[in-house]
């Protein structure tokens, strides 16, 4: 065990969970977006029957506030659904230009919930708001699953007396730390196939 300097974990967990629709229940908060946007990027399909809140707020393309953020509506939504979801996803209009409302939403959610929060602007730099929301939703679905996998891996390493850093294979074949994978499990989609190709190449 002392000779092990790095542990690289490849997994099909994220891929399988998304293909099979096994992600955990999520509360989706859309700031500055209306219900019509659910029809784009297959967002409504991915949401399924999970709760969604359309909260006033968001910014314009120049980063200026388009509308005041309705904090009360957000808090009411979180209080209503917290016991029924395992994670939260937040996506605000033009958050890639100004993430203030997404960050404020995260802080407010943390007041009343201990569930993890995925923010759209931290996962995608694209300007397409529905796609960013979809990425945040999928990431939030995977957070509880990847946490269980990483905990199991750490327990196994401890039993074997291995103290090496734990890394996870991304979908492009590169490695990220376990802590990063825990926050951004969407990065591990196609981890298994990518690792197979890297191994075959080697």
């Amino acid at each position: 065990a002392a000779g092990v300097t790095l542990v690289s974990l490849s997994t099909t967990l994220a891929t399988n969970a998304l293909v099979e629709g096994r992600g955990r229940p999520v509360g989706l908060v859309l700031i500055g977006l209306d219900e019509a946007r659910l029809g784009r990027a297959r967002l409504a399909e991915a949401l399924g029957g999970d709760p969604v809140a359309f909260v006033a707020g968001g910014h314009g393309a120049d980063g200026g506030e388009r509308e005041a953020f309705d904090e009360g509506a957000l808090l009411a939504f979180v209080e209503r659904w917290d016991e029924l979801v395992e994670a939260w996803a937040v996506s605000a209009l033009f958050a890639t230009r100004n993430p203030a409302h997404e960050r404020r939403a995260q802080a407010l959610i943390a007041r009343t919930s201990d569930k993890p929060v995925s923010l759209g602007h931290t996962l995608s730099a694209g300007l397409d708001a529905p796609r960013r929301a979809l990425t945040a939703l999928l990431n939030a679905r995977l957070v509880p699953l990847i946490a269980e996998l990483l905990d199991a891996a750490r327990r196994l390493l401890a039993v074997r007396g291995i103290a090496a850093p734990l890394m996870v294979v991304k979908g492009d074949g590169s490695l990220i730390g376990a802590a990063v994978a825990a926050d951004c499990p969407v990065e591990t989609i196609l981890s298994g196939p990518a690792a197979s190709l890297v191994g075959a190449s080697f």
Side-chain angles (χ1 to χ4, degrees), residues 71 75 78-79 104-114 117:
E71 297 184 358
L75 289 171
V78 172
E79 289 171 6
R104 179 61 179 158
Q106 183 179 35
L108 289 170
I109 291 171
R111 286 185 183 177
T112 57
S113 175
D114 61 357
V117 182

Side-chain angles (χ1 to χ4, degrees), residues 9-15 17 24 116 138-154 166 168-169 176-189 191:
L9 174 64
S10 169
T11 176
T12 58
L13 178 69
T15 305
R24 299 297 174 79
L138 296 180
N139 192 77
R141 283 203 196 292
L142 295 171
V143 167
L145 291 174
I146 202 78
E148 292 173 0
L149 175 66
L150 293 173
D151 285 345
R154 289 189 185 100
L166 176 61
V168 181
V169 180
I176 52 176
V180 176
D183 289 335
C184 305
V186 73
E187 295 276 8
T188 68
I189 294 173
S191 167

Side-chain angles (χ1 to χ4, degrees), residues 54-78:
F54 301 96
V55 178
H59 293 80
D62 62 352
E65 187 175 76
R66 191 189 69 147
E67 189 176 7
F69 177 34
D70 189 345
E71 297 184 358
L74 170 67
L75 289 171
F77 176 71
V78 172

Side-chain angles (χ1 to χ4, degrees), residues 150-170:
L150 293 173
D151 285 345
R154 289 189 185 100
R155 288 196 300 272
L156 178 60
L157 293 177
V159 168
R160 298 292 175 93
I162 298 173
L166 176 61
M167 307 291 285
V168 181
V169 180
K170 287 177 54 177

